[in-house]
Each structure stands twice: as C-alpha cells, then as structure tokens.
Amino acid sequence: MNDLVRQHTALSDSDLEWLHMLVSEWQLLSDLSFADLVLWVPTLDGTRYVSVAQMRPNTGPTSYQDDMVGHLVPRGRRPMLDSALDEGRIVREGDPEWREEVPVRVESIPVRRDGRVLGVIARNTNLLTVRTPSRLELTYLQSASDLAQMIAAGTFPFPGQQVDMDASPRAGDGLIRLDADGVVQYASPNALSAYHRLGLAADLVGHHLGRTTAELAPARGPVDEALVKLASGWAPREFEVEGNDGVIQLRAIPLKPKGVHIGSLVLLRDVTELRRRERELITKDATIREIHHRVKNNLQTVAALLRLQSRRMDSEQGREALNEAVRRVGSIAIVHETLSQNLDERVEFDDIADRVLAMVAEISPGKVITRRTGRFGILDAEVATPLSMVLTEVLQNALEHAFDQAEQGVVEVGAVRGGSRKEPRLLVTVQDNGRGLPEGFDPHRAGNLGLQIVRTLVEGELGGQFDMVRAPERGTKVLLDVPVRPEKQH
C-alpha cells in the first residue's frame, strides 16, 4: 500500500498512516457486512482511482475471485465512487452488478480524516446466497452500518488504538451489542458460551454487561469500577476477565455513527485454553532455567572439591590432572549458567568463549596474550556444551605446550559462520605463535587425553571435523569445522 499511495496519489504520510489504521481494523467491517472491501484512492491528477487495499469476509462468499490491489480505473467509470468522493456521503443507489453470473450489491463509503475525504471504500456483497436474515445477521448488518457511518464521519478508526487483528477477538469469536446505557441488546451464541464458562447461569440480554462482568470476576473487595466501565463499552479498549476457571478476552468499540453515543460493540473470545498453555510454557521455562541453575551450582561444587583434593596431592602430575579436570568442569558450568538466564535452549556463545579464554589464561606460564576475533553467534545448547569443552582443551593444550616458561606469545581464537544456507557451519581456529608441532606428530592418533576428548566431542558428538597443522609462519593452528543451525531460526 505504501508504494501505491506514494506513486499514484498526493496523500501525506499522516494520511497514509490513517489508511493503515483503517486497514488494520476493516476485517471487522468486512465480516459484519458479509462483504468484500476495496479501498480506492484518487490519483494525483484526479482523473483515475487506484485500489490500494482489499479485504475478503470470513463470514460469507467473496465477490472478487481476483486480486484487485493495484488496479487503476478512470473517473466516471464507477459513478458511485465519484458521488461518495465528491459529496462525502455513503452511496447505496443503483442496481446490483453481475460478475461472472453472480449478482453483487455495491456501496461506496467515503474515508474521511480531519474533514477531508482521502478515498472511498467499495463494499461489495455477493447476493447469490442471500436468505432471510437471522437475529445474528441483522445485528451484524446494523453494526456494520454504524461503523460505515463512523468511517464516513472520520471518527473510526480510533486514533492511537491500532489493533493487532491476529491477536484481537473477531466477530465470529463472539459479539455483544450494547445500548447507550451498557445493557445487552444481543449476545451471539459464542459470546453466551464464553460467559457461561465464566460462571454466568442466566442469559445476558437485558443485563448490564459491566456489572455482570465485574460480578463474575474474582471478588477482590469492592466492585472494580474500572472493569464495570470497560465492559460497558464507553471507551475503545481491550482487556481480559478471569473467573470460574475461565478467561475471556474482550474488545469494546463505542458506536457513534452521528456523533452521539448510541451503544457499543463488544467482541470477545474464550482464551481459557490459550492462557493455560501459556502458563504451562512459563512454568516449563522457569523449571528448565532452575535446572540449569542447579546443574551450574552442582558443577561448581564438584570443581571446588577437586580443587581441595588437588591441594592435598603430593604428586605434581596428579595435582595438574585434577586442575585440568577443574577447568573442564568449569567450562560446562559456564554454559549452564548462560542457559539459566535464557528463555530457550540457545546461547550467545561469544560471551562463553571469552569466559573460557579468561579461565584458561590463568594457567599461562608466561606473558601469553589470549584474544578472540570474529563471532560464534547463537548456538544450540547441545552444540555449546561440547564446544566449550573442546575450546577449553585446545586452549589449555596451546598454553601448556606451545611456550617455554616466562615466554611471551599470543593465542588467538577465530570464529566464522560459513557453509551454505541449507547447511550452515561454524569454522573455528585456535592459533598460537609458539614452538609448533614436533616432527611426525599426528593429532588423529595422539594418545594425549585432552586431544582424545577433542576428537571424541568434535567428530562423535558434534559431527564435525578436527585437525592440527603447522601455522603459516610459526606455531600451531587448530581447525574445527562444526555444523550448526542458522542464527535466525527459532
């Protein structure tokens, strides 16, 4: 719509915003009218109309099989559009049109803002299935007529009340028509069923909706006057009411077709099961976070016990083995700590990598600098946990074996997202400028425990590839290639 309006018309940005507000609301008008809606806006030179939006009803058959958006028609070809635009009134005159052997009643509703007519809504009703209307259909049509008059007067939609129609109740979910005093004139079967779930034992018709709703809500001292007012439909609002193990979502729409409040429409939907599932998910998320938090605490306890044990060891080799175990446990604890703060099982791994770097750097025998380039991005927990251990082992190996005592050096971790869109991969390098690999060294057969852990985790658990090679100038370069999920996938 933005492109069509800016390309063909002279409407301002504020006018365009008004049309967006209207289009966000007009599914309601279409459903209440049982009709298709097409929004026509005059072109810049005033000789034609361009259709910038279209809506089909959920409550009846469509009048248009084809998409009308973007069509241009010259002024004069559709006289009802001309009359509505020029005279600023709703035009209903004329005989039905025949489209592909289907009779269609056409009406034109001017769209007014600040006293100016911005365009015209063509309301097209398929007459092929017209029958004697029920009380529900009569209420729908009367409500649609009131809304059309408000659009023509520039009082609908309500400024500052743009609605998410995907989340708001629709006419078919449940509809209540109130008079000017807030007394129910009509309640659809779905609306009545929703109130019965709240605990209502009687009919709604003839009762004041605001007071009835407040009585069904849980008693919390005095009657909630705000709830009474909201459910009476005096202001355009959305709210929820919970009672008797039921939850209903309501949306109030005041009706002022001629500038005078004549009543209200209240759309409502039973969202009991939806809210129950949301509560279950919230509880599940909280439980998962608590589990990660407890696992992190337990791992830290294990690390502390290993640390205590290492201090009592007389063997230097045994003490170092326990210290390595402390770092391995610590790298897993870092991942669980991060997961305990998230709502899903995905983590931003860059922070974890930095913390692992800092933890392992504590064992540096000399003035070795550790740093990270690139970014790991967001990873699944089942990738993050083994990858943190792999990173710990590789860094620990580099800091222990690449440099002599008190030797200065650099260990750099690099991360790049690669692969294809269908098969994304994470490419990780750990490079030092130390003494390099000994002659004949084969990383795939080395019996070192740390390298065995790396091979097992990378090739077995992560389904990736691992290699160690001589760096181009000096030192050693470790290569990790791991399959991952795309970052934007949820």
Side-chain angles (χ1 to χ4, degrees), residues 425-484:
R425 304 185 76 83
L426 176 64
L427 309 175
V428 182
T429 59
V430 180
Q431 183 170 331
D432 64 68
N433 61 350
R435 65 171 63 96
L437 295 173
E439 289 295 332
F441 179 81
D442 185 355
H444 299 286
R445 294 188 177 183
N448 180 307
L449 176 60
L451 289 181
Q452 287 182 14
I453 291 173
V454 170
R455 287 198 301 268
T456 301
L457 291 177
V458 173
E459 297 172 357
E461 191 162 341
L462 294 175
Q465 299 172 359
F466 157 73
D467 202 2
M468 289 180 73
V469 298
R470 291 183 180 273
E473 296 182 2
R474 182 175 182 234
T476 303
K477 187 174 186 178
V478 177
L479 305 169
L480 306 173
D481 182 354
V482 178
V484 294

Side-chain angles (χ1 to χ4, degrees), residues 117-134:
V117 178
L118 307 182
V120 179
I121 294 175
R123 182 163 56 177
N124 304 268
T125 307
N126 186 325
L127 300 178
L128 200 60
T129 58
V130 169
R131 61 186 185 278
T132 303
S134 64

Side-chain angles (χ1 to χ4, degrees), residues 25-65:
E25 294 271 23
W26 72 344
Q27 179 72 65
L28 175 61
L29 177 63
S30 178
D31 290 346
L32 293 176
S33 304
F34 308 98
D36 291 74
L37 306 178
V38 179
L39 177 57
W40 297 92
V41 179
T43 57
L44 184 60
D45 58 9
T47 61
R48 295 181 296 175
Y49 297 96
V50 58
S51 57
V52 298
Q54 179 179 1
M55 179 58 65
R56 292 183 173 91
N58 293 318
T59 51
T62 184
S63 301
Y64 287 111
Q65 298 299 326

Side-chain angles (χ1 to χ4, degrees), residues 14 17 43 46 66 114 135 148 187 194 241 298 300 306 321 359 417 426 450 461:
S14 57
E17 182 60 30
T43 57
D66 299 326
D114 293 339
R135 180 73 190 280
V241 176
N298 290 339
Q300 289 179 337
L306 290 173
M359 178 183 67
R417 290 271 184 164
L426 176 64
E461 191 162 341

Side-chain angles (χ1 to χ4, degrees), residues 371-431:
R371 63 189 179 209
R372 174 177 62 85
T373 60
R375 62 183 299 270
F376 290 83
I378 298 174
L379 300 178
D380 292 329
E382 56 264 30
V383 174
T385 301
L387 185 59
S388 68
M389 286 194 66
V390 168
L391 199 56
T392 300
E393 295 298 332
V394 173
L395 286 168
Q396 190 168 280
N397 188 68
L399 291 171
E400 284 185 354
H401 303 294
F403 306 100
D404 295 325
Q405 190 73 22
E407 182 182 2
Q408 292 186 345
V410 176
V411 177
E412 181 174 285
V413 176
V416 177
R417 290 271 184 164
S420 64
R421 190 172 183 178
K422 290 185 178 180
E423 297 181 354
R425 304 185 76 83
L426 176 64
L427 309 175
V428 182
T429 59
V430 180
Q431 183 170 331

Side-chain angles (χ1 to χ4, degrees), residues 4 16 56 153 172 195 232 239 242 248 271 344 349 354 379 422 432 441 444:
L4 288 170
L16 178 57
R56 292 183 173 91
Y195 265 83
S232 299
F239 55 100
E242 183 171 357
I248 59 173
V271 293
D344 55 16
F349 196 81
D354 291 340
L379 300 178
K422 290 185 178 180
D432 64 68
F441 179 81
H444 299 286

Side-chain angles (χ1 to χ4, degrees), residues 95 101 136 138 214 222 224 238 269 297 388 400 435 450:
D95 297 327
E101 300 184 354
L136 171 68
L138 288 174
D224 188 345
E238 284 196 31
R269 177 172 57 186
N297 288 344
S388 68
E400 284 185 354
R435 65 171 63 96

